[in-house]
PDB file of all heavy atoms in Angstrom:
ATOM      1  N   LEU A 200     -45.681  28.991  21.459  1.00 97.00           N
ATOM      2  CA  LEU A 200     -46.340  30.048  20.722  1.00 97.00           C
ATOM      3  C   LEU A 200     -46.259  29.937  19.189  1.00 97.00           C
ATOM      4  O   LEU A 200     -47.233  30.105  18.521  1.00 97.00           O
ATOM      5  CB  LEU A 200     -45.585  31.394  21.090  1.00 97.00           C
ATOM      6  CG  LEU A 200     -46.250  32.724  20.539  1.00 97.00           C
ATOM      7  CD1 LEU A 200     -47.697  32.764  21.048  1.00 97.00           C
ATOM      8  CD2 LEU A 200     -45.448  33.832  20.965  1.00 97.00           C
ATOM      9  N   SER A 203     -48.525  27.287  18.090  1.00 97.00           N
ATOM     10  CA  SER A 203     -49.991  27.821  18.218  1.00 97.00           C
ATOM     11  C   SER A 203     -50.416  28.692  17.138  1.00 97.00           C
ATOM     12  O   SER A 203     -51.504  28.594  16.554  1.00 97.00           O
ATOM     13  CB  SER A 203     -50.136  28.590  19.564  1.00 97.00           C
ATOM     14  OG  SER A 203     -49.965  27.660  20.702  1.00 97.00           O
ATOM     15  N   TRP A 204     -49.548  29.680  16.717  1.00 97.00           N
ATOM     16  CA  TRP A 204     -49.734  30.515  15.585  1.00 97.00           C
ATOM     17  C   TRP A 204     -49.939  29.716  14.254  1.00 97.00           C
ATOM     18  O   TRP A 204     -50.788  30.101  13.457  1.00 97.00           O
ATOM     19  CB  TRP A 204     -48.735  31.553  15.421  1.00 97.00           C
ATOM     20  CG  TRP A 204     -49.044  32.914  16.309  1.00 97.00           C
ATOM     21  CD1 TRP A 204     -48.077  33.437  17.109  1.00 97.00           C
ATOM     22  CD2 TRP A 204     -50.176  33.682  16.427  1.00 97.00           C
ATOM     23  NE1 TRP A 204     -48.629  34.525  17.637  1.00 97.00           N
ATOM     24  CE2 TRP A 204     -49.893  34.791  17.258  1.00 97.00           C
ATOM     25  CE3 TRP A 204     -51.320  33.619  15.804  1.00 97.00           C
ATOM     26  CZ2 TRP A 204     -50.843  35.641  17.598  1.00 97.00           C
ATOM     27  CZ3 TRP A 204     -52.348  34.670  16.094  1.00 97.00           C
ATOM     28  CH2 TRP A 204     -51.963  35.616  17.015  1.00 97.00           C
ATOM     29  N   LEU A 205     -49.079  28.666  14.158  1.00 97.00           N
ATOM     30  CA  LEU A 205     -49.214  27.942  12.881  1.00 97.00           C
ATOM     31  C   LEU A 205     -50.349  26.957  12.905  1.00 97.00           C
ATOM     32  O   LEU A 205     -50.679  26.321  11.866  1.00 97.00           O
ATOM     33  CB  LEU A 205     -47.886  27.133  12.611  1.00 97.00           C
ATOM     34  CG  LEU A 205     -46.738  28.026  12.339  1.00 97.00           C
ATOM     35  CD1 LEU A 205     -45.391  27.152  12.304  1.00 97.00           C
ATOM     36  CD2 LEU A 205     -46.882  28.706  10.996  1.00 97.00           C
ATOM     37  N   GLY A 206     -51.194  26.827  14.047  1.00 96.00           N
ATOM     38  CA  GLY A 206     -52.172  26.013  14.161  1.00 96.00           C
ATOM     39  C   GLY A 206     -51.690  24.458  14.192  1.00 96.00           C
ATOM     40  O   GLY A 206     -52.456  23.695  13.727  1.00 96.00           O
ATOM     41  N   LEU A 207     -50.411  24.198  14.506  1.00 97.00           N
ATOM     42  CA  LEU A 207     -49.914  22.889  14.518  1.00 97.00           C
ATOM     43  C   LEU A 207     -49.957  22.324  15.905  1.00 97.00           C
ATOM     44  O   LEU A 207     -49.504  22.958  16.880  1.00 97.00           O
ATOM     45  CB  LEU A 207     -48.536  22.806  13.950  1.00 97.00           C
ATOM     46  CG  LEU A 207     -48.330  23.336  12.444  1.00 97.00           C
ATOM     47  CD1 LEU A 207     -46.866  23.352  12.033  1.00 97.00           C
ATOM     48  CD2 LEU A 207     -49.049  22.092  11.612  1.00 97.00           C
ATOM     49  N   TYR A 276     -44.212  26.455   7.529  1.00 95.00           N
ATOM     50  CA  TYR A 276     -44.461  25.012   7.236  1.00 95.00           C
ATOM     51  C   TYR A 276     -43.387  24.368   6.401  1.00 95.00           C
ATOM     52  O   TYR A 276     -43.795  23.738   5.405  1.00 95.00           O
ATOM     53  CB  TYR A 276     -45.752  24.788   6.653  1.00 95.00           C
ATOM     54  CG  TYR A 276     -46.892  25.378   7.432  1.00 95.00           C
ATOM     55  CD1 TYR A 276     -47.462  26.632   6.948  1.00 95.00           C
ATOM     56  CD2 TYR A 276     -47.553  24.864   8.515  1.00 95.00           C
ATOM     57  CE1 TYR A 276     -48.510  27.351   7.690  1.00 95.00           C
ATOM     58  CE2 TYR A 276     -48.449  25.482   9.311  1.00 95.00           C
ATOM     59  CZ  TYR A 276     -49.011  26.701   8.737  1.00 95.00           C
ATOM     60  OH  TYR A 276     -50.069  27.271   9.449  1.00 95.00           O
ATOM     61  N   ARG A 320     -42.960  16.099   0.441  1.00 91.00           N
ATOM     62  CA  ARG A 320     -43.590  17.147  -0.256  1.00 91.00           C
ATOM     63  C   ARG A 320     -45.094  17.045  -0.078  1.00 91.00           C
ATOM     64  O   ARG A 320     -45.941  16.777  -0.779  1.00 91.00           O
ATOM     65  CB  ARG A 320     -43.422  17.021  -1.796  1.00 91.00           C
ATOM     66  CG  ARG A 320     -43.003  18.277  -2.469  1.00 91.00           C
ATOM     67  CD  ARG A 320     -42.682  18.120  -3.930  1.00 91.00           C
ATOM     68  NE  ARG A 320     -43.633  17.594  -4.573  1.00 91.00           N
ATOM     69  CZ  ARG A 320     -43.873  17.558  -5.964  1.00 91.00           C
ATOM     70  NH1 ARG A 320     -43.057  18.335  -6.563  1.00 91.00           N
ATOM     71  NH2 ARG A 320     -44.762  16.974  -6.533  1.00 91.00           N
ATOM     72  N   LEU A 321     -45.564  17.254   1.219  1.00 92.00           N
ATOM     73  CA  LEU A 321     -46.777  17.158   1.841  1.00 92.00           C
ATOM     74  C   LEU A 321     -46.998  18.195   2.786  1.00 92.00           C
ATOM     75  O   LEU A 321     -46.193  18.976   3.204  1.00 92.00           O
ATOM     76  CB  LEU A 321     -46.789  15.742   2.624  1.00 92.00           C
ATOM     77  CG  LEU A 321     -46.661  14.515   1.848  1.00 92.00           C
ATOM     78  CD1 LEU A 321     -46.343  13.371   2.789  1.00 92.00           C
ATOM     79  CD2 LEU A 321     -47.798  14.204   0.959  1.00 92.00           C
ATOM     80  N   PRO A 322     -48.409  18.456   3.134  1.00 93.00           N
ATOM     81  CA  PRO A 322     -48.584  19.323   4.237  1.00 93.00           C
ATOM     82  C   PRO A 322     -47.736  19.011   5.409  1.00 93.00           C
ATOM     83  O   PRO A 322     -47.515  17.819   5.755  1.00 93.00           O
ATOM     84  CB  PRO A 322     -50.044  19.227   4.554  1.00 93.00           C
ATOM     85  CG  PRO A 322     -50.643  18.716   3.215  1.00 93.00           C
ATOM     86  CD  PRO A 322     -49.543  17.853   2.705  1.00 93.00           C
ATOM     87  N   ASP A 325     -48.439  16.056   7.690  1.00 93.00           N
ATOM     88  CA  ASP A 325     -48.448  14.746   7.102  1.00 93.00           C
ATOM     89  C   ASP A 325     -47.025  14.253   6.587  1.00 93.00           C
ATOM     90  O   ASP A 325     -46.836  13.113   6.182  1.00 93.00           O
ATOM     91  CB  ASP A 325     -49.318  14.935   5.710  1.00 93.00           C
ATOM     92  CG  ASP A 325     -50.756  15.320   6.057  1.00 93.00           C
ATOM     93  OD1 ASP A 325     -51.236  15.037   7.280  1.00 93.00           O
ATOM     94  OD2 ASP A 325     -51.447  15.939   5.232  1.00 93.00           O
TER      95      ASP A 325
ATOM     96  N   ILE B  98     -50.173  17.927  -3.749  1.00 89.00           N
ATOM     97  CA  ILE B  98     -49.445  18.641  -4.712  1.00 89.00           C
ATOM     98  C   ILE B  98     -49.708  18.026  -6.150  1.00 89.00           C
ATOM     99  O   ILE B  98     -49.899  18.835  -7.143  1.00 89.00           O
ATOM    100  CB  ILE B  98     -47.900  18.460  -4.470  1.00 89.00           C
ATOM    101  CG1 ILE B  98     -47.581  19.016  -3.064  1.00 89.00           C
ATOM    102  CG2 ILE B  98     -47.042  19.091  -5.481  1.00 89.00           C
ATOM    103  CD1 ILE B  98     -46.585  20.147  -2.980  1.00 89.00           C
ATOM    104  N   SER B 118     -55.139  19.938   7.074  1.00 93.00           N
ATOM    105  CA  SER B 118     -53.743  20.195   7.399  1.00 93.00           C
ATOM    106  C   SER B 118     -53.377  21.702   7.449  1.00 93.00           C
ATOM    107  O   SER B 118     -53.425  22.420   6.373  1.00 93.00           O
ATOM    108  CB  SER B 118     -52.772  19.470   6.558  1.00 93.00           C
ATOM    109  OG  SER B 118     -52.860  18.138   6.760  1.00 93.00           O
ATOM    110  N   ALA B 119     -52.846  22.156   8.542  1.00 95.00           N
ATOM    111  CA  ALA B 119     -52.384  23.671   8.655  1.00 95.00           C
ATOM    112  C   ALA B 119     -51.246  23.722   7.650  1.00 95.00           C
ATOM    113  O   ALA B 119     -50.380  22.884   7.456  1.00 95.00           O
ATOM    114  CB  ALA B 119     -51.832  23.866  10.013  1.00 95.00           C
ATOM    115  N   GLY B 120     -51.451  24.894   6.801  1.00 95.00           N
ATOM    116  CA  GLY B 120     -50.328  25.078   5.807  1.00 95.00           C
ATOM    117  C   GLY B 120     -50.644  24.547   4.520  1.00 95.00           C
ATOM    118  O   GLY B 120     -49.877  24.825   3.546  1.00 95.00           O
ATOM    119  N   LEU B 124     -48.961  25.830   0.887  1.00 93.00           N
ATOM    120  CA  LEU B 124     -48.253  24.764   0.051  1.00 93.00           C
ATOM    121  C   LEU B 124     -48.763  24.803  -1.502  1.00 93.00           C
ATOM    122  O   LEU B 124     -47.970  24.804  -2.423  1.00 93.00           O
ATOM    123  CB  LEU B 124     -48.428  23.284   0.574  1.00 93.00           C
ATOM    124  CG  LEU B 124     -47.783  22.217  -0.009  1.00 93.00           C
ATOM    125  CD1 LEU B 124     -46.191  22.343   0.114  1.00 93.00           C
ATOM    126  CD2 LEU B 124     -48.138  20.827   0.642  1.00 93.00           C
ATOM    127  N   ALA B 140     -55.985  23.900  11.912  1.00 95.00           N
ATOM    128  CA  ALA B 140     -56.251  24.806  13.074  1.00 95.00           C
ATOM    129  C   ALA B 140     -55.524  26.094  12.864  1.00 95.00           C
ATOM    130  O   ALA B 140     -55.277  26.935  13.777  1.00 95.00           O
ATOM    131  CB  ALA B 140     -55.927  24.309  14.374  1.00 95.00           C
ATOM    132  N   HIS B 141     -55.130  26.422  11.524  1.00 97.00           N
ATOM    133  CA  HIS B 141     -54.253  27.626  11.294  1.00 97.00           C
ATOM    134  C   HIS B 141     -55.161  28.839  10.961  1.00 97.00           C
ATOM    135  O   HIS B 141     -55.317  29.711  11.917  1.00 97.00           O
ATOM    136  CB  HIS B 141     -53.450  27.298  10.125  1.00 97.00           C
ATOM    137  CG  HIS B 141     -52.578  28.352   9.688  1.00 97.00           C
ATOM    138  ND1 HIS B 141     -52.342  28.833   8.376  1.00 97.00           N
ATOM    139  CD2 HIS B 141     -51.889  29.290  10.362  1.00 97.00           C
ATOM    140  CE1 HIS B 141     -51.480  29.874   8.288  1.00 97.00           C
ATOM    141  NE2 HIS B 141     -51.183  30.177   9.504  1.00 97.00           N
ATOM    142  N   ARG B 179     -57.979  31.980  15.451  1.00 98.00           N
ATOM    143  CA  ARG B 179     -56.677  32.388  15.110  1.00 98.00           C
ATOM    144  C   ARG B 179     -56.840  33.700  14.042  1.00 98.00           C
ATOM    145  O   ARG B 179     -56.285  34.752  14.368  1.00 98.00           O
ATOM    146  CB  ARG B 179     -55.797  31.441  14.463  1.00 98.00           C
ATOM    147  CG  ARG B 179     -55.056  30.653  15.601  1.00 98.00           C
ATOM    148  CD  ARG B 179     -54.290  29.470  14.978  1.00 98.00           C
ATOM    149  NE  ARG B 179     -53.874  28.596  16.081  1.00 98.00           N
ATOM    150  CZ  ARG B 179     -54.646  27.831  16.891  1.00 98.00           C
ATOM    151  NH1 ARG B 179     -55.912  27.888  16.764  1.00 98.00           N
ATOM    152  NH2 ARG B 179     -54.134  27.130  17.862  1.00 98.00           N
ATOM    153  N   PRO B 202     -54.494  27.149  23.403  1.00 97.00           N
ATOM    154  CA  PRO B 202     -53.237  26.899  22.864  1.00 97.00           C
ATOM    155  C   PRO B 202     -52.103  27.384  23.827  1.00 97.00           C
ATOM    156  O   PRO B 202     -52.291  28.311  24.557  1.00 97.00           O
ATOM    157  CB  PRO B 202     -53.106  27.527  21.490  1.00 97.00           C
ATOM    158  CG  PRO B 202     -54.218  28.685  21.542  1.00 97.00           C
ATOM    159  CD  PRO B 202     -55.222  28.190  22.494  1.00 97.00           C
ATOM    160  N   ALA B 203     -50.903  26.676  23.651  1.00 96.00           N
ATOM    161  CA  ALA B 203     -49.842  27.108  24.556  1.00 96.00           C
ATOM    162  C   ALA B 203     -49.459  28.533  24.027  1.00 96.00           C
ATOM    163  O   ALA B 203     -49.456  28.736  22.884  1.00 96.00           O
ATOM    164  CB  ALA B 203     -48.643  26.037  24.236  1.00 96.00           C
ATOM    165  N   GLY B 204     -49.065  29.324  24.993  1.00 96.00           N
ATOM    166  CA  GLY B 204     -48.597  30.684  24.733  1.00 96.00           C
ATOM    167  C   GLY B 204     -49.677  31.724  24.407  1.00 96.00           C
ATOM    168  O   GLY B 204     -49.426  32.737  23.861  1.00 96.00           O
ATOM    169  N   MET B 208     -50.481  36.007  22.581  1.00 97.00           N
ATOM    170  CA  MET B 208     -51.030  36.080  21.257  1.00 97.00           C
ATOM    171  C   MET B 208     -51.869  37.357  21.029  1.00 97.00           C
ATOM    172  O   MET B 208     -52.652  37.454  20.143  1.00 97.00           O
ATOM    173  CB  MET B 208     -51.837  34.793  20.953  1.00 97.00           C
ATOM    174  CG  MET B 208     -50.906  33.497  20.833  1.00 97.00           C
ATOM    175  SD  MET B 208     -51.811  32.014  20.655  1.00 97.00           S
ATOM    176  CE  MET B 208     -52.169  32.007  18.843  1.00 97.00           C
TER     177      MET B 208
END
Side-chain angles (χ1 to χ4, degrees):
Chain A
L200 187 62
S203 293
W204 275 127
L205 290 171
L207 292 173
Y276 307 101
R320 232 174 53 157
L321 295 168
D325 304 330
Chain B
I98 300 236
S118 291
L124 182 64
H141 179 223
R179 278 173 188 71
M208 293 175 83

